[in-house]
Amino acid sequence: MVTVNVHEAKTHLSRLLVQMEAGEDVIIARNGKPVAKLVQIRQRGQLVFGSMKGQIELDDSFFDPLPEEELAAWEGS
């Protein structure tokens, strides 16, 4: 983990971003006290509606009422 002061962070932001992208934690401090942490944004894959089609199957029993014991467990009784 690297800790830098605000002035150094402003002066060397590009270098700090490279370090952060390589997996190193970067903490920015003011007067020796940590005030911010640079974290890498993880890109998620784009969600596509229907992308699980054909991979999940439900039979008609899925819509049957739950047994009393299971229903009580879900309701916290």
Side-chain angles (χ1 to χ4, degrees):
M1 180 180 332
V2 140
T3 301
V4 297
N5 63 38
V6 174
H7 176 71
E8 185 179 356
K10 289 179 358 184
T11 304
H12 300 287
L13 181 59
S14 293
R15 177 180 54 85
L16 294 172
L17 290 174
V18 169
Q19 288 178 263
M20 183 252 335
E21 289 171 333
E24 190 164 359
D25 290 337
V26 178
I27 304 295
I28 301 173
R30 181 181 294 132
N31 298 324
K33 295 180 183 176
V35 294
K37 181 178 181 179
L38 291 177
V39 295
Q40 186 176 14
I41 295 175
R42 307 260 186 244
Q43 297 294 332
R44 286 202 243 166
Q46 186 173 356
L47 299 177
V48 178
F49 185 74
S51 61
M52 296 292 293
K53 186 175 184 175
Q55 296 182 33
I56 299 174
E57 292 184 24
L58 301 175
D59 61 14
D60 290 337
S61 67
F62 178 80
F63 299 101
D64 291 348
L66 292 174
E68 288 300 320
E69 283 181 6
E70 194 169 343
L71 185 59
W74 279 100
E75 293 177 341
S77 308

